[in-house]
Every structure is written in C-alpha cells, then in structure tokens.
Amino acid sequence: MYMDRSNSSISRPQRSLGYYLAFAICIALLLLLCPMPEMNRMFRYGMDLLHAPFFAILALFLDQKRRERKRNSFIQGLRFWVFLCILGVALEAIQTLAGRDTNWHDGLSNLLGITAGFLFSYALSATDRIYLKYCGGFAGTLMLLLGSIYGLYGVWDTVQAEIEFPLIANFETHRELLRWEASDAVLIRSKQHATSGHFSGNITFQEGRYPGVSIELPPGDWSTYRYLTLDIMWAENKNFPQSNREQSANFALRIKLEDDGPSDSFQDRFESTVALQSGPNQIRIPVDVIANSPAARSLRLNRMKRLSLFLTNSKLPQVLFVDRIQLE
C-alpha cells in the first residue's frame, strides 16, 4: 500500500505537466493558426506586440509546473527551454497552413518571450538569494522589451501617420518605410530630389507584369480637401541601348486608389495612367474625380484604404523619386 501511494504521488505531477503543456499548445494553436479577418495596421502591429508577452506567460506557467516535480537541474531546465523554443518557432512556421503570414520578427519575439518567461520563473524560485531574484527579473524584463520592440515601433508609426494626416508620405524618417509594400520593386530613402525636407523615396521598378509599391492610408476624411498631390522626379536612363530608348522614354505610371469596399474590379476604384516627363513632375488629382471614378458608386472618402504606384508589363528596370504625397 505504501508503494502504491508513492507511485501515485509521483505520477500525478508528471500527468499534470503533460496536461498543462497540451492545454497551452491548444491555446497557442487557436490563437496563432486561426484564420484572422482583414486587419488595419494598428491591429496587426498590436497582434505583433502580443507575441512576446503571450509566450512569456506560457513559459513562466509551464516552467513553474516543471519545477513542482523537484527536477530543477540546469540541464533539465535547458532541455525544457529548447523544447519550448522549438515549439514557438514551429507554431510560427506552420501559420501558412492557415492562410496567415510567417514573419521572422514574430518568431524572434516568440523566442525572446519564452526566454523572458524562464527568467521570471527562475526569479520566482530563487527565494534564498535576493540578488538572483532581482537579476532574473531584470533580465526577463529586458528580454520581454526586446521581443516587443517591433510591435511597439509599428504601433508608434501608425499613430504618427494619423497625426501627420493630410500628409501621407515624405520619407523623412526611416520608420515610414514600414508603411509601404513592394512587389517586383525596391523602395529606399534617398537624399536626391527631395522636395519636402531632406529625403525622398527612391523606387526601383524591376521587370515584371505589375511592379510597384503601395501604402496603407492613414484614417482621415478626404472630402474636406480638393487635391491629392505627388512630387515625382524621373530621369530618363541614358544608358539604355538605342533600340530601347523609345520604350524607356515613355514612362507611364499607374496610380491606383482604393477604399475599404470591394475593389477587385477595375471599375470599382480610381485608377489612372500618368505620362511622366523627364525631370520633375507634380501630379495633382482632384479629389472629386477620385470619388466619382467607380462606375456604380462613389468611393468612401472617409474610408480610403490604399494608394499604389506601379507599372504595367515592365520590360526594363526604371527608377523614379517620389516625395510629398499629401492632400491639399
């Protein structure tokens, strides 16, 4: 009878740790793999911000359960940390199966959050050495902050974009590049051809069907403004062979504007071709023309979503500079 009770007392903590580990994995799978609705920038960066705290709480809870088994050697703790790190990276990697993006910064946030959780767990367990408790807590807090930097940076930039409206882009800060997405194109900041401040956006359009860049627009009511303006500098590439000069001299830039309504159709958004001349160009598009572009409705000027600059069937690399995109 004594041996049976002893075996039972040993097996319960073992079952408890496995149970809690399985429960935690189910929660992580639900949060990380469940398909998400379309989100704005603030919500997306807010979700990025939660990665490190979530995995810190998860690791803290599970490591405390492990310590209840009285197996607290350094090697055992290291093995459990490695196991949870592999789990955190694997959960991020398989998000593509649920139709969600996999990002290196989310995976790094998971790892830093797990490390923070282990350090907090160590600090809670170091009851006999106060300096170790404080060192573990400080190191855990540092890991948690490092894992949250990307999300904090994105949330801060989203708030700044809303404050700067009706200015949409002027490339004066490096964080503005977070607002842009590129497809068969490269966007960097440049000190050349700036018309507002010291920097412009240097776009290199590569060969492709629709090479271009797009920006998610900050919230604001466009109906109180008359024009959308863009400063664009294009210098004809004199290094092209003579046979390609005619094509390179005809730079037809496509400008697309969408609201948050259905815009899969060409007839349900604003889209126009602008023939750029070699040298500086200022594009001024009347807001009422933008609003009345769809065939069957008006664009929601208080819910504008995205601005895109792109080429169609580009056969040659092209470079232009863009600056001071704003409403007037």
mmCIF file with all atom_site columns, all heavy atoms in Angstrom, residues 101-125:
data_model
loop_
_atom_site.group_PDB
_atom_site.id
_atom_site.type_symbol
_atom_site.label_atom_id
_atom_site.label_alt_id
_atom_site.label_comp_id
_atom_site.label_asym_id
_atom_site.label_entity_id
_atom_site.label_seq_id
_atom_site.pdbx_PDB_ins_code
_atom_site.Cartn_x
_atom_site.Cartn_y
_atom_site.Cartn_z
_atom_site.occupancy
_atom_site.B_iso_or_equiv
_atom_site.pdbx_formal_charge
_atom_site.auth_seq_id
_atom_site.auth_comp_id
_atom_site.auth_asym_id
_atom_site.auth_atom_id
_atom_site.pdbx_PDB_model_num
ATOM 1   N N   . ASP A 1 101 ? 0.482  34.898 -42.632 1.00 0.00 ? 101 ASP A N   1
ATOM 2   C CA  . ASP A 1 101 ? 1.879  35.133 -42.977 1.00 0.00 ? 101 ASP A CA  1
ATOM 3   C C   . ASP A 1 101 ? 2.804  34.651 -41.865 1.00 0.00 ? 101 ASP A C   1
ATOM 4   O O   . ASP A 1 101 ? 2.473  34.715 -40.678 1.00 0.00 ? 101 ASP A O   1
ATOM 5   C CB  . ASP A 1 101 ? 2.128  36.632 -43.220 1.00 0.00 ? 101 ASP A CB  1
ATOM 6   C CG  . ASP A 1 101 ? 1.403  37.132 -44.458 1.00 0.00 ? 101 ASP A CG  1
ATOM 7   O OD1 . ASP A 1 101 ? 1.162  36.313 -45.360 1.00 0.00 ? 101 ASP A OD1 1
ATOM 8   O OD2 . ASP A 1 101 ? 1.063  38.333 -44.498 1.00 0.00 ? 101 ASP A OD2 1
ATOM 9   N N   . THR A 1 102 ? 3.979  34.175 -42.277 1.00 0.00 ? 102 THR A N   1
ATOM 10  C CA  . THR A 1 102 ? 5.037  33.801 -41.347 1.00 0.00 ? 102 THR A CA  1
ATOM 11  C C   . THR A 1 102 ? 6.116  34.875 -41.395 1.00 0.00 ? 102 THR A C   1
ATOM 12  O O   . THR A 1 102 ? 6.618  35.198 -42.470 1.00 0.00 ? 102 THR A O   1
ATOM 13  C CB  . THR A 1 102 ? 5.639  32.436 -41.719 1.00 0.00 ? 102 THR A CB  1
ATOM 14  O OG1 . THR A 1 102 ? 4.624  31.435 -41.630 1.00 0.00 ? 102 THR A OG1 1
ATOM 15  C CG2 . THR A 1 102 ? 6.781  32.086 -40.788 1.00 0.00 ? 102 THR A CG2 1
ATOM 16  N N   . ASN A 1 103 ? 6.458  35.441 -40.244 1.00 0.00 ? 103 ASN A N   1
ATOM 17  C CA  . ASN A 1 103 ? 7.421  36.540 -40.177 1.00 0.00 ? 103 ASN A CA  1
ATOM 18  C C   . ASN A 1 103 ? 8.565  36.197 -39.249 1.00 0.00 ? 103 ASN A C   1
ATOM 19  O O   . ASN A 1 103 ? 8.342  35.618 -38.169 1.00 0.00 ? 103 ASN A O   1
ATOM 20  C CB  . ASN A 1 103 ? 6.743  37.826 -39.682 1.00 0.00 ? 103 ASN A CB  1
ATOM 21  C CG  . ASN A 1 103 ? 5.597  38.258 -40.582 1.00 0.00 ? 103 ASN A CG  1
ATOM 22  O OD1 . ASN A 1 103 ? 5.779  38.431 -41.767 1.00 0.00 ? 103 ASN A OD1 1
ATOM 23  N ND2 . ASN A 1 103 ? 4.408  38.421 -40.007 1.00 0.00 ? 103 ASN A ND2 1
ATOM 24  N N   . TRP A 1 104 ? 9.766  36.570 -39.656 1.00 0.00 ? 104 TRP A N   1
ATOM 25  C CA  . TRP A 1 104 ? 10.927 36.290 -38.823 1.00 0.00 ? 104 TRP A CA  1
ATOM 26  C C   . TRP A 1 104 ? 10.849 37.038 -37.495 1.00 0.00 ? 104 TRP A C   1
ATOM 27  O O   . TRP A 1 104 ? 11.274 36.521 -36.453 1.00 0.00 ? 104 TRP A O   1
ATOM 28  C CB  . TRP A 1 104 ? 12.214 36.665 -39.555 1.00 0.00 ? 104 TRP A CB  1
ATOM 29  C CG  . TRP A 1 104 ? 12.368 38.145 -39.796 1.00 0.00 ? 104 TRP A CG  1
ATOM 30  C CD1 . TRP A 1 104 ? 11.995 38.849 -40.893 1.00 0.00 ? 104 TRP A CD1 1
ATOM 31  C CD2 . TRP A 1 104 ? 12.940 39.098 -38.884 1.00 0.00 ? 104 TRP A CD2 1
ATOM 32  N NE1 . TRP A 1 104 ? 12.275 40.184 -40.738 1.00 0.00 ? 104 TRP A NE1 1
ATOM 33  C CE2 . TRP A 1 104 ? 12.866 40.367 -39.513 1.00 0.00 ? 104 TRP A CE2 1
ATOM 34  C CE3 . TRP A 1 104 ? 13.499 39.022 -37.610 1.00 0.00 ? 104 TRP A CE3 1
ATOM 35  C CZ2 . TRP A 1 104 ? 13.321 41.531 -38.907 1.00 0.00 ? 104 TRP A CZ2 1
ATOM 36  C CZ3 . TRP A 1 104 ? 13.954 40.189 -36.997 1.00 0.00 ? 104 TRP A CZ3 1
ATOM 37  C CH2 . TRP A 1 104 ? 13.868 41.426 -37.655 1.00 0.00 ? 104 TRP A CH2 1
ATOM 38  N N   . HIS A 1 105 ? 10.297 38.281 -37.509 1.00 0.00 ? 105 HIS A N   1
ATOM 39  C CA  . HIS A 1 105 ? 10.263 39.056 -36.274 1.00 0.00 ? 105 HIS A CA  1
ATOM 40  C C   . HIS A 1 105 ? 9.263  38.463 -35.277 1.00 0.00 ? 105 HIS A C   1
ATOM 41  O O   . HIS A 1 105 ? 9.467  38.561 -34.063 1.00 0.00 ? 105 HIS A O   1
ATOM 42  C CB  . HIS A 1 105 ? 9.949  40.529 -36.553 1.00 0.00 ? 105 HIS A CB  1
ATOM 43  C CG  . HIS A 1 105 ? 8.794  40.752 -37.474 1.00 0.00 ? 105 HIS A CG  1
ATOM 44  N ND1 . HIS A 1 105 ? 7.488  40.644 -37.071 1.00 0.00 ? 105 HIS A ND1 1
ATOM 45  C CD2 . HIS A 1 105 ? 8.759  41.095 -38.782 1.00 0.00 ? 105 HIS A CD2 1
ATOM 46  C CE1 . HIS A 1 105 ? 6.686  40.915 -38.088 1.00 0.00 ? 105 HIS A CE1 1
ATOM 47  N NE2 . HIS A 1 105 ? 7.429  41.178 -39.143 1.00 0.00 ? 105 HIS A NE2 1
ATOM 48  N N   . ASP A 1 106 ? 8.190  37.825 -35.770 1.00 0.00 ? 106 ASP A N   1
ATOM 49  C CA  . ASP A 1 106 ? 7.273  37.151 -34.855 1.00 0.00 ? 106 ASP A CA  1
ATOM 50  C C   . ASP A 1 106 ? 7.933  35.932 -34.223 1.00 0.00 ? 106 ASP A C   1
ATOM 51  O O   . ASP A 1 106 ? 7.768  35.671 -33.020 1.00 0.00 ? 106 ASP A O   1
ATOM 52  C CB  . ASP A 1 106 ? 6.001  36.727 -35.590 1.00 0.00 ? 106 ASP A CB  1
ATOM 53  C CG  . ASP A 1 106 ? 5.083  37.898 -35.894 1.00 0.00 ? 106 ASP A CG  1
ATOM 54  O OD1 . ASP A 1 106 ? 5.276  38.978 -35.298 1.00 0.00 ? 106 ASP A OD1 1
ATOM 55  O OD2 . ASP A 1 106 ? 4.176  37.739 -36.726 1.00 0.00 ? 106 ASP A OD2 1
ATOM 56  N N   . GLY A 1 107 ? 8.686  35.176 -35.040 1.00 0.00 ? 107 GLY A N   1
ATOM 57  C CA  . GLY A 1 107 ? 9.411  34.033 -34.487 1.00 0.00 ? 107 GLY A CA  1
ATOM 58  C C   . GLY A 1 107 ? 10.428 34.455 -33.446 1.00 0.00 ? 107 GLY A C   1
ATOM 59  O O   . GLY A 1 107 ? 10.566 33.804 -32.391 1.00 0.00 ? 107 GLY A O   1
ATOM 60  N N   . LEU A 1 108 ? 11.150 35.559 -33.714 1.00 0.00 ? 108 LEU A N   1
ATOM 61  C CA  . LEU A 1 108 ? 12.118 36.072 -32.742 1.00 0.00 ? 108 LEU A CA  1
ATOM 62  C C   . LEU A 1 108 ? 11.418 36.541 -31.470 1.00 0.00 ? 108 LEU A C   1
ATOM 63  O O   . LEU A 1 108 ? 11.914 36.308 -30.361 1.00 0.00 ? 108 LEU A O   1
ATOM 64  C CB  . LEU A 1 108 ? 12.916 37.213 -33.364 1.00 0.00 ? 108 LEU A CB  1
ATOM 65  C CG  . LEU A 1 108 ? 13.989 37.860 -32.481 1.00 0.00 ? 108 LEU A CG  1
ATOM 66  C CD1 . LEU A 1 108 ? 15.024 36.823 -32.053 1.00 0.00 ? 108 LEU A CD1 1
ATOM 67  C CD2 . LEU A 1 108 ? 14.658 39.025 -33.201 1.00 0.00 ? 108 LEU A CD2 1
ATOM 68  N N   . SER A 1 109 ? 10.260 37.177 -31.621 1.00 0.00 ? 109 SER A N   1
ATOM 69  C CA  . SER A 1 109 ? 9.501  37.611 -30.445 1.00 0.00 ? 109 SER A CA  1
ATOM 70  C C   . SER A 1 109 ? 9.070  36.414 -29.608 1.00 0.00 ? 109 SER A C   1
ATOM 71  O O   . SER A 1 109 ? 9.084  36.469 -28.368 1.00 0.00 ? 109 SER A O   1
ATOM 72  C CB  . SER A 1 109 ? 8.274  38.413 -30.877 1.00 0.00 ? 109 SER A CB  1
ATOM 73  O OG  . SER A 1 109 ? 8.649  39.638 -31.486 1.00 0.00 ? 109 SER A OG  1
ATOM 74  N N   . ASN A 1 110 ? 8.685  35.323 -30.270 1.00 0.00 ? 110 ASN A N   1
ATOM 75  C CA  . ASN A 1 110 ? 8.329  34.101 -29.537 1.00 0.00 ? 110 ASN A CA  1
ATOM 76  C C   . ASN A 1 110 ? 9.510  33.599 -28.698 1.00 0.00 ? 110 ASN A C   1
ATOM 77  O O   . ASN A 1 110 ? 9.347  33.242 -27.524 1.00 0.00 ? 110 ASN A O   1
ATOM 78  C CB  . ASN A 1 110 ? 7.882  33.010 -30.503 1.00 0.00 ? 110 ASN A CB  1
ATOM 79  C CG  . ASN A 1 110 ? 6.616  33.370 -31.260 1.00 0.00 ? 110 ASN A CG  1
ATOM 80  O OD1 . ASN A 1 110 ? 5.949  34.363 -30.965 1.00 0.00 ? 110 ASN A OD1 1
ATOM 81  N ND2 . ASN A 1 110 ? 6.278  32.569 -32.256 1.00 0.00 ? 110 ASN A ND2 1
ATOM 82  N N   . LEU A 1 111 ? 10.686 33.555 -29.306 1.00 0.00 ? 111 LEU A N   1
ATOM 83  C CA  . LEU A 1 111 ? 11.873 33.062 -28.601 1.00 0.00 ? 111 LEU A CA  1
ATOM 84  C C   . LEU A 1 111 ? 12.245 33.964 -27.423 1.00 0.00 ? 111 LEU A C   1
ATOM 85  O O   . LEU A 1 111 ? 12.568 33.477 -26.333 1.00 0.00 ? 111 LEU A O   1
ATOM 86  C CB  . LEU A 1 111 ? 13.050 32.964 -29.572 1.00 0.00 ? 111 LEU A CB  1
ATOM 87  C CG  . LEU A 1 111 ? 12.925 31.954 -30.716 1.00 0.00 ? 111 LEU A CG  1
ATOM 88  C CD1 . LEU A 1 111 ? 14.167 31.987 -31.597 1.00 0.00 ? 111 LEU A CD1 1
ATOM 89  C CD2 . LEU A 1 111 ? 12.701 30.546 -30.181 1.00 0.00 ? 111 LEU A CD2 1
ATOM 90  N N   . LEU A 1 112 ? 12.196 35.275 -27.654 1.00 0.00 ? 112 LEU A N   1
ATOM 91  C CA  . LEU A 1 112 ? 12.535 36.200 -26.568 1.00 0.00 ? 112 LEU A CA  1
ATOM 92  C C   . LEU A 1 112 ? 11.497 36.141 -25.454 1.00 0.00 ? 112 LEU A C   1
ATOM 93  O O   . LEU A 1 112 ? 11.832 36.254 -24.272 1.00 0.00 ? 112 LEU A O   1
ATOM 94  C CB  . LEU A 1 112 ? 12.644 37.622 -27.129 1.00 0.00 ? 112 LEU A CB  1
ATOM 95  C CG  . LEU A 1 112 ? 13.838 37.874 -28.055 1.00 0.00 ? 112 LEU A CG  1
ATOM 96  C CD1 . LEU A 1 112 ? 13.740 39.242 -28.702 1.00 0.00 ? 112 LEU A CD1 1
ATOM 97  C CD2 . LEU A 1 112 ? 15.151 37.754 -27.276 1.00 0.00 ? 112 LEU A CD2 1
ATOM 98  N N   . GLY A 1 113 ? 10.218 35.958 -25.821 1.00 0.00 ? 113 GLY A N   1
ATOM 99  C CA  . GLY A 1 113 ? 9.180  35.821 -24.804 1.00 0.00 ? 113 GLY A CA  1
ATOM 100 C C   . GLY A 1 113 ? 9.368  34.566 -23.974 1.00 0.00 ? 113 GLY A C   1
ATOM 101 O O   . GLY A 1 113 ? 9.215  34.590 -22.738 1.00 0.00 ? 113 GLY A O   1
ATOM 102 N N   . ILE A 1 114 ? 9.706  33.448 -24.633 1.00 0.00 ? 114 ILE A N   1
ATOM 103 C CA  . ILE A 1 114 ? 9.955  32.197 -23.902 1.00 0.00 ? 114 ILE A CA  1
ATOM 104 C C   . ILE A 1 114 ? 11.136 32.364 -22.950 1.00 0.00 ? 114 ILE A C   1
ATOM 105 O O   . ILE A 1 114 ? 11.088 31.939 -21.784 1.00 0.00 ? 114 ILE A O   1
ATOM 106 C CB  . ILE A 1 114 ? 10.212 31.049 -24.897 1.00 0.00 ? 114 ILE A CB  1
ATOM 107 C CG1 . ILE A 1 114 ? 8.910  30.699 -25.640 1.00 0.00 ? 114 ILE A CG1 1
ATOM 108 C CG2 . ILE A 1 114 ? 10.770 29.819 -24.184 1.00 0.00 ? 114 ILE A CG2 1
ATOM 109 C CD1 . ILE A 1 114 ? 9.104  29.794 -26.821 1.00 0.00 ? 114 ILE A CD1 1
ATOM 110 N N   . THR A 1 115 ? 12.197 33.002 -23.422 1.00 0.00 ? 115 THR A N   1
ATOM 111 C CA  . THR A 1 115 ? 13.365 33.236 -22.566 1.00 0.00 ? 115 THR A CA  1
ATOM 112 C C   . THR A 1 115 ? 12.999 34.121 -21.383 1.00 0.00 ? 115 THR A C   1
ATOM 113 O O   . THR A 1 115 ? 13.440 33.876 -20.244 1.00 0.00 ? 115 THR A O   1
ATOM 114 C CB  . THR A 1 115 ? 14.489 33.884 -23.390 1.00 0.00 ? 115 THR A CB  1
ATOM 115 O OG1 . THR A 1 115 ? 14.793 33.062 -24.518 1.00 0.00 ? 115 THR A OG1 1
ATOM 116 C CG2 . THR A 1 115 ? 15.739 34.072 -22.546 1.00 0.00 ? 115 THR A CG2 1
ATOM 117 N N   . ALA A 1 116 ? 12.189 35.153 -21.636 1.00 0.00 ? 116 ALA A N   1
ATOM 118 C CA  . ALA A 1 116 ? 11.740 36.025 -20.541 1.00 0.00 ? 116 ALA A CA  1
ATOM 119 C C   . ALA A 1 116 ? 10.937 35.236 -19.515 1.00 0.00 ? 116 ALA A C   1
ATOM 120 O O   . ALA A 1 116 ? 11.116 35.409 -18.301 1.00 0.00 ? 116 ALA A O   1
ATOM 121 C CB  . ALA A 1 116 ? 10.896 37.175 -21.106 1.00 0.00 ? 116 ALA A CB  1
ATOM 122 N N   . GLY A 1 117 ? 10.065 34.347 -19.975 1.00 0.00 ? 117 GLY A N   1
ATOM 123 C CA  . GLY A 1 117 ? 9.273  33.539 -19.054 1.00 0.00 ? 117 GLY A CA  1
ATOM 124 C C   . GLY A 1 117 ? 10.138 32.656 -18.174 1.00 0.00 ? 117 GLY A C   1
ATOM 125 O O   . GLY A 1 117 ? 9.869  32.506 -16.963 1.00 0.00 ? 117 GLY A O   1
ATOM 126 N N   . PHE A 1 118 ? 11.180 32.067 -18.745 1.00 0.00 ? 118 PHE A N   1
ATOM 127 C CA  . PHE A 1 118 ? 12.086 31.218 -17.951 1.00 0.00 ? 118 PHE A CA  1
ATOM 128 C C   . PHE A 1 118 ? 12.845 32.057 -16.929 1.00 0.00 ? 118 PHE A C   1
ATOM 129 O O   . PHE A 1 118 ? 13.065 31.615 -15.794 1.00 0.00 ? 118 PHE A O   1
ATOM 130 C CB  . PHE A 1 118 ? 13.064 30.497 -18.881 1.00 0.00 ? 118 PHE A CB  1
ATOM 131 C CG  . PHE A 1 118 ? 12.585 29.145 -19.306 1.00 0.00 ? 118 PHE A CG  1
ATOM 132 C CD1 . PHE A 1 118 ? 11.605 29.019 -20.277 1.00 0.00 ? 118 PHE A CD1 1
ATOM 133 C CD2 . PHE A 1 118 ? 13.091 27.989 -18.738 1.00 0.00 ? 118 PHE A CD2 1
ATOM 134 C CE1 . PHE A 1 118 ? 11.143 27.784 -20.679 1.00 0.00 ? 118 PHE A CE1 1
ATOM 135 C CE2 . PHE A 1 118 ? 12.640 26.740 -19.130 1.00 0.00 ? 118 PHE A CE2 1
ATOM 136 C CZ  . PHE A 1 118 ? 11.657 26.635 -20.097 1.00 0.00 ? 118 PHE A CZ  1
ATOM 137 N N   . LEU A 1 119 ? 13.239 33.248 -17.314 1.00 0.00 ? 119 LEU A N   1
ATOM 138 C CA  . LEU A 1 119 ? 13.952 34.108 -16.376 1.00 0.00 ? 119 LEU A CA  1
ATOM 139 C C   . LEU A 1 119 ? 13.036 34.556 -15.235 1.00 0.00 ? 119 LEU A C   1
ATOM 140 O O   . LEU A 1 119 ? 13.449 34.620 -14.077 1.00 0.00 ? 119 LEU A O   1
ATOM 141 C CB  . LEU A 1 119 ? 14.525 35.316 -17.111 1.00 0.00 ? 119 LEU A CB  1
ATOM 142 C CG  . LEU A 1 119 ? 15.691 35.005 -18.058 1.00 0.00 ? 119 LEU A CG  1
ATOM 143 C CD1 . LEU A 1 119 ? 16.001 36.204 -18.943 1.00 0.00 ? 119 LEU A CD1 1
ATOM 144 C CD2 . LEU A 1 119 ? 16.936 34.607 -17.258 1.00 0.00 ? 119 LEU A CD2 1
ATOM 145 N N   . PHE A 1 120 ? 11.790 34.870 -15.547 1.00 0.00 ? 120 PHE A N   1
ATOM 146 C CA  . PHE A 1 120 ? 10.827 35.214 -14.490 1.00 0.00 ? 120 PHE A CA  1
ATOM 147 C C   . PHE A 1 120 ? 10.586 34.026 -13.567 1.00 0.00 ? 120 PHE A C   1
ATOM 148 O O   . PHE A 1 120 ? 10.467 34.184 -12.346 1.00 0.00 ? 120 PHE A O   1
ATOM 149 C CB  . PHE A 1 120 ? 9.510  35.675 -15.109 1.00 0.00 ? 120 PHE A CB  1
ATOM 150 C CG  . PHE A 1 120 ? 9.575  37.015 -15.781 1.00 0.00 ? 120 PHE A CG  1
ATOM 151 C CD1 . PHE A 1 120 ? 8.895  37.254 -16.968 1.00 0.00 ? 120 PHE A CD1 1
ATOM 152 C CD2 . PHE A 1 120 ? 10.313 38.056 -15.234 1.00 0.00 ? 120 PHE A CD2 1
ATOM 153 C CE1 . PHE A 1 120 ? 8.955  38.480 -17.591 1.00 0.00 ? 120 PHE A CE1 1
ATOM 154 C CE2 . PHE A 1 120 ? 10.374 39.301 -15.854 1.00 0.00 ? 120 PHE A CE2 1
ATOM 155 C CZ  . PHE A 1 120 ? 9.691  39.510 -17.036 1.00 0.00 ? 120 PHE A CZ  1
ATOM 156 N N   . SER A 1 121 ? 10.495 32.825 -14.153 1.00 0.00 ? 121 SER A N   1
ATOM 157 C CA  . SER A 1 121 ? 10.301 31.620 -13.347 1.00 0.00 ? 121 SER A CA  1
ATOM 158 C C   . SER A 1 121 ? 11.495 31.396 -12.416 1.00 0.00 ? 121 SER A C   1
ATOM 159 O O   . SER A 1 121 ? 11.322 31.037 -11.245 1.00 0.00 ? 121 SER A O   1
ATOM 160 C CB  . SER A 1 121 ? 10.108 30.411 -14.268 1.00 0.00 ? 121 SER A CB  1
ATOM 161 O OG  . SER A 1 121 ? 9.945  29.223 -13.526 1.00 0.00 ? 121 SER A OG  1
ATOM 162 N N   . TYR A 1 122 ? 12.683 31.616 -12.938 1.00 0.00 ? 122 TYR A N   1
ATOM 163 C CA  . TYR A 1 122 ? 13.885 31.477 -12.112 1.00 0.00 ? 122 TYR A CA  1
ATOM 164 C C   . TYR A 1 122 ? 13.873 32.499 -10.973 1.00 0.00 ? 122 TYR A C   1
ATOM 165 O O   . TYR A 1 122 ? 14.219 32.173 -9.824  1.00 0.00 ? 122 TYR A O   1
ATOM 166 C CB  . TYR A 1 122 ? 15.119 31.673 -12.973 1.00 0.00 ? 122 TYR A CB  1
ATOM 167 C CG  . TYR A 1 122 ? 16.414 31.650 -12.200 1.00 0.00 ? 122 TYR A CG  1
ATOM 168 C CD1 . TYR A 1 122 ? 16.973 30.448 -11.761 1.00 0.00 ? 122 TYR A CD1 1
ATOM 169 C CD2 . TYR A 1 122 ? 17.064 32.836 -11.889 1.00 0.00 ? 122 TYR A CD2 1
ATOM 170 C CE1 . TYR A 1 122 ? 18.150 30.428 -11.029 1.00 0.00 ? 122 TYR A CE1 1
ATOM 171 C CE2 . TYR A 1 122 ? 18.243 32.833 -11.160 1.00 0.00 ? 122 TYR A CE2 1
ATOM 172 C CZ  . TYR A 1 122 ? 18.783 31.625 -10.735 1.00 0.00 ? 122 TYR A CZ  1
ATOM 173 O OH  . TYR A 1 122 ? 19.943 31.616 -10.002 1.00 0.00 ? 122 TYR A OH  1
ATOM 174 N N   . ALA A 1 123 ? 13.446 33.729 -11.295 1.00 0.00 ? 123 ALA A N   1
ATOM 175 C CA  . ALA A 1 123 ? 13.408 34.767 -10.263 1.00 0.00 ? 123 ALA A CA  1
ATOM 176 C C   . ALA A 1 123 ? 12.405 34.415 -9.172  1.00 0.00 ? 123 ALA A C   1
ATOM 177 O O   . ALA A 1 123 ? 12.654 34.648 -7.974  1.00 0.00 ? 123 ALA A O   1
ATOM 178 C CB  . ALA A 1 123 ? 13.051 36.108 -10.898 1.00 0.00 ? 123 ALA A CB  1
ATOM 179 N N   . LEU A 1 124 ? 11.276 33.847 -9.530  1.00 0.00 ? 124 LEU A N   1
ATOM 180 C CA  . LEU A 1 124 ? 10.284 33.454 -8.534  1.00 0.00 ? 124 LEU A CA  1
ATOM 181 C C   . LEU A 1 124 ? 10.784 32.327 -7.642  1.00 0.00 ? 124 LEU A C   1
ATOM 182 O O   . LEU A 1 124 ? 10.410 32.242 -6.472  1.00 0.00 ? 124 LEU A O   1
ATOM 183 C CB  . LEU A 1 124 ? 8.985  33.025 -9.238  1.00 0.00 ? 124 LEU A CB  1
ATOM 184 C CG  . LEU A 1 124 ? 8.130  34.131 -9.850  1.00 0.00 ? 124 LEU A CG  1
ATOM 185 C CD1 . LEU A 1 124 ? 6.946  33.523 -10.607 1.00 0.00 ? 124 LEU A CD1 1
ATOM 186 C CD2 . LEU A 1 124 ? 7.624  35.081 -8.767  1.00 0.00 ? 124 LEU A CD2 1
ATOM 187 N N   . SER A 1 125 ? 11.615 31.455 -8.210  1.00 0.00 ? 125 SER A N   1
ATOM 188 C CA  . SER A 1 125 ? 12.088 30.279 -7.462  1.00 0.00 ? 125 SER A CA  1
ATOM 189 C C   . SER A 1 125 ? 13.333 30.559 -6.641  1.00 0.00 ? 125 SER A C   1
ATOM 190 O O   . SER A 1 125 ? 13.674 29.769 -5.756  1.00 0.00 ? 125 SER A O   1
ATOM 191 C CB  . SER A 1 125 ? 12.368 29.128 -8.437  1.00 0.00 ? 125 SER A CB  1
ATOM 192 O OG  . SER A 1 125 ? 11.205 28.803 -9.181  1.00 0.00 ? 125 SER A OG  1
#
